[in-house]
């Protein structure tokens, strides 16, 4: 049997029709399939590969750490320099109340850990999320997911979950002294790149302050420069009580984290002891890769040119069949009439060597989230291929 047949036979499938390209190599902004065909990657592993595929500094960091040790004991028991150095570096680029990092294996595990931490700190049970939100697909994250189609088949889910309307001031009144936390995406990604009003974010922060609820901001897709600032919340003049990270956090390797104050995080250490644990969370290879990737983003000044590249996409993606182009830096939704039109264009783009996809809650929108290293000429190529197939 060939690789395609083995793929369908032995790997758990996520949909009836996966893209199913057989990729054998990736470098920079490009993927290469088994036949040697080159694909310009317009989605960066879904906002994972912000420094591109296999950046030399990241690869070298992985090699160096592999020569020292891999997994040695469950997370939190031994002092492992990759974890310590990355946590310290992250903290040095975050506000003073976000200084204690709990590494996980993925973004959804970061969501789960933060939900537990909020309950532990506040002694409350109710959690508020938002319609058309996405925070992962494990049971707690799925309970938060703001779309009934995706969660209905897996009930019963967690009780005490409220789903508020995103960017709606009236619904903030549903946050009360019973609410442990409010979990919001800084930008709603899977809803087709929906940015909240600055005033709404300020009101959300104030409502949490007034009620004692913790504000948790999900930066899993928009962190690490994706929106034009290192952290998306910087653009709204607020600071969360807990921030969720994932995707680009690991530089291409699996890694997530939730970050809070030391006082809050220390509540996991007693009553009960081992209040939150993980075997592979903060794997030394992943932390080494992530630290190297974050340094690349900062040292190569990749964030400074995000806005310029965003404007180039906005300027080029103009066509009567394009209903709108919504952007948050280099997270972009290109809206078409319906899913059928979008899927036809996506499939044609893939045939023409451009890898793109759609959004979970906005299936009529094409996803564009390329590596931050994308060049102006490559942006022009991406837009040309899309326009040729509209």
């Amino acid at each position: 049997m060939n690789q395609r047949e083995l793929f369908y036979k032995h790997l758990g499938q996520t949909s009836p029709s996966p893209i199913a390209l057989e990729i054998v190599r990736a470098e920079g902004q490009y993927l290469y399939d088994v036949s040697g065909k080159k694909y310009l990657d317009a989605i960066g592993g879904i906002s994972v590969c912000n420094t591109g595929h296999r950046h030399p500094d990241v690869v070298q960091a992985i090699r160096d750490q592999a020569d020292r040790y891999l997994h040695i004991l469950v997370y939190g028991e031994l002092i492992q320099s990759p974890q310590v150095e990355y946590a310290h570096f992250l903290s040095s680029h975050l506000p003073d109340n976000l200084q204690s990092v709990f590494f996980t294996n993925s973004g959804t595990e970061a969501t789960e850990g933060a939900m537990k931490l909020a309950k532990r700190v506040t002694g409350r049970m109710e959690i508020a999320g938002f319609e058309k939100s996405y925070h992962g697909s494990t049971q707690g994250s799925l309970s938060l997911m703001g779309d009934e189609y995706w969660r209905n088949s897996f009930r019963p889910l967690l009780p005490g979950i409220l789903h508020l309307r995103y960017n709606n001031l009236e619904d903030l009144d549903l946050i009360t002294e019973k609410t442990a936390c409010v979990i919001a995406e800084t930008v709603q990604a899977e809803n087709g790149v929906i940015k909240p009003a600055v005033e709404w974010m300020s009101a959300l922060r104030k409502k949490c302050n007034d009620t004692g609820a913790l504000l948790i901001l999900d930066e899993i897709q928009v962190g690490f420069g994706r929106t034009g600032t290192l952290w998306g919340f910087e653009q709204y003049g607020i600071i969360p009580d807990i921030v969720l990270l994932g995707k680009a956090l690991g530089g291409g390797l699996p890694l997530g984290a939730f970050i809070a104050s030391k006082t809050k995080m220390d509540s996991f250490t007693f009553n009960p002891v081992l209040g939150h644990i993980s075997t592979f969370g903060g794997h030394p290879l992943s932390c080494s890769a992530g630290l190297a990737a974050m340094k690349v983003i900062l040292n190569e000044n990749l964030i400074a040119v995000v806005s310029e590249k965003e404007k180039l996409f906005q300027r080029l993606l103009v066509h009567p069949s394009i209903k709108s182009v919504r952007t948050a830096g280099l997270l972009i939704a290109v809206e078409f009439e319906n899913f059928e039109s979008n899927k036809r264009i996506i499939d044609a783009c893939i045939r023409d060597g451009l890898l793109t996809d759609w959004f979970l809650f906005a299936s009529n929108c094409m996803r564009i989230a390329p590596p931050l290293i994308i060049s102006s000429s490559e942006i022009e190529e991406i837009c040309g291929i899309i326009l040729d197939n509209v």
Side-chain angles (χ1 to χ4, degrees):
M1 299 178 76
N2 61 31
Q3 291 291 306
R4 177 177 293 271
E5 292 168 331
L6 292 170
F7 168 79
Y8 282 108
K9 181 175 180 180
H10 293 300
L11 289 180
Q13 298 297 311
T14 57
S15 80
S17 53
I19 298 173
L21 298 175
E22 188 175 343
I23 301 300
V24 297
R25 186 166 64 90
E27 296 283 347
Q29 299 89 292
Y30 292 94
L31 308 175
Y32 300 84
D33 72 13
V34 68
S35 70
K37 183 175 179 178
K38 182 170 72 171
Y39 299 85
L40 182 51
D41 184 3
I43 51 178
I46 312 295
S47 301
V48 168
C49 307
N50 285 16
T51 59
H53 298 278
R54 301 187 69 253
H55 190 285
D57 290 4
V58 176
V59 172
Q60 189 59 53
I62 294 170
R63 287 175 175 152
D64 290 346
Q65 181 55 40
D67 284 340
R68 299 186 185 102
Y69 57 83
L70 301 178
H71 174 77
I72 47 179
L73 195 65
V74 296
Y75 174 77
E77 290 298 325
L78 299 180
I79 299 172
Q80 300 183 49
S81 60
Q83 296 172 352
V84 174
E85 290 171 10
Y86 198 11
H88 176 65
F89 195 72
L90 282 165
S91 298
S92 69
H93 290 86
L94 283 163
D96 290 342
N97 68 312
L98 299 172
Q99 297 292 297
S100 184
V101 181
F102 198 113
F103 285 116
T104 65
N105 299 288
S106 64
T108 191
E109 291 179 50
T111 303
E112 299 282 350
M115 292 169 75
K116 287 176 62 178
L117 183 60
K119 290 180 177 180
R120 180 69 178 84
V121 168
T122 65
R124 304 173 183 180
M125 296 179 59
E126 186 178 276
I127 294 177
F130 292 92
E131 295 177 359
K132 304 298 181 183
S133 63
Y134 181 80
H135 305 284
S137 61
T138 50
Q139 288 282 300
S141 301
L142 185 62
S143 302
L144 281 172
M145 187 183 291
D147 191 292
E148 187 61 25
Y149 169 80
W150 299 96
R151 65 178 185 255
N152 187 51
S153 296
F154 305 102
R155 292 188 178 278
L157 297 169
L158 290 184
I161 303 291
L162 302 179
H163 291 97
L164 315 182
R165 288 173 292 178
Y166 193 76
N167 209 25
N168 182 284
L169 287 169
E170 182 181 334
D171 278 15
L172 298 185
D173 289 338
L174 298 173
I175 302 167
T176 70
E177 286 75 12
K178 295 181 180 179
T179 308
C181 63
V182 182
I183 303 182
E185 293 170 273
T186 312
V187 175
Q188 280 200 321
E190 295 304 329
N191 198 20
V193 188
I194 303 299
K195 293 194 291 188
V198 173
E199 296 76 13
W200 182 79
M201 288 291 266
S202 296
L204 173 60
R205 174 68 274 183
K206 183 178 186 303
K207 188 66 174 180
C208 289
N209 290 344
D210 292 345
T211 59
L214 301 186
L215 176 58
I216 301 174
L217 289 184
D218 180 341
E219 295 259 336
I220 293 168
Q221 285 203 50
V222 302
F224 296 95
R226 174 67 47 191
T227 65
T229 50
L230 184 58
W231 315 116
F233 63 77
E234 295 177 64
Q235 300 175 28
Y236 296 92
I238 65 168
I239 297 173
D241 298 297
I242 303 174
V243 67
L244 309 181
L245 300 178
K247 294 194 181 293
L249 177 69
L253 293 187
L255 191 64
F258 57 102
I259 305 177
S261 69
K262 175 113 172 65
T263 301
K264 289 183 177 67
M265 197 69 80
D266 279 353
S267 66
F268 271 152
T269 66
F270 63 93
N271 194 27
V273 67
L274 304 176
H276 196 66
I277 53 177
S278 171
T279 297
F280 292 112
H283 193 282
L285 281 188
S286 298
C287 286
S288 297
L291 177 57
M294 186 174 177
K295 287 181 176 179
V296 167
I297 290 171
L298 297 174
N299 294 340
E300 297 187 6
N301 212 20
L302 297 181
I303 300 173
V305 291
V306 165
S307 178
E308 177 184 333
K309 294 174 182 180
E310 175 186 18
K311 290 173 183 174
L312 182 56
F313 272 112
Q314 292 171 336
R315 189 163 65 247
L316 294 174
L317 287 172
V318 178
H319 189 279
S321 295
I322 295 176
K323 298 180 58 122
S324 70
V325 177
R326 295 190 294 275
T327 66
L330 286 178
L331 179 62
I332 300 168
V334 184
E335 182 182 2
F336 296 104
E337 183 67 30
N338 49 45
F339 171 73
E340 289 72 24
S341 297
N342 188 32
K343 185 65 165 61
R344 175 187 60 78
I345 295 165
I346 288 171
D347 290 345
C349 287
I350 292 173
R351 287 194 298 270
D352 288 349
L354 174 66
L355 182 63
T356 182
D357 205 354
W358 46 281
F359 293 92
L360 286 182
F361 310 137
S363 62
N364 64 323
C365 295
M366 176 186 290
R367 182 195 305 266
I368 300 177
L372 303 187
I373 60 171
I374 196 81
S375 68
S376 296
S377 62
E378 288 159 342
I379 291 172
E380 291 173 357
E381 183 181 354
I382 289 171
C383 294
I385 293 173
I386 293 171
L387 295 176
D388 285 344
N389 288 294
V390 170

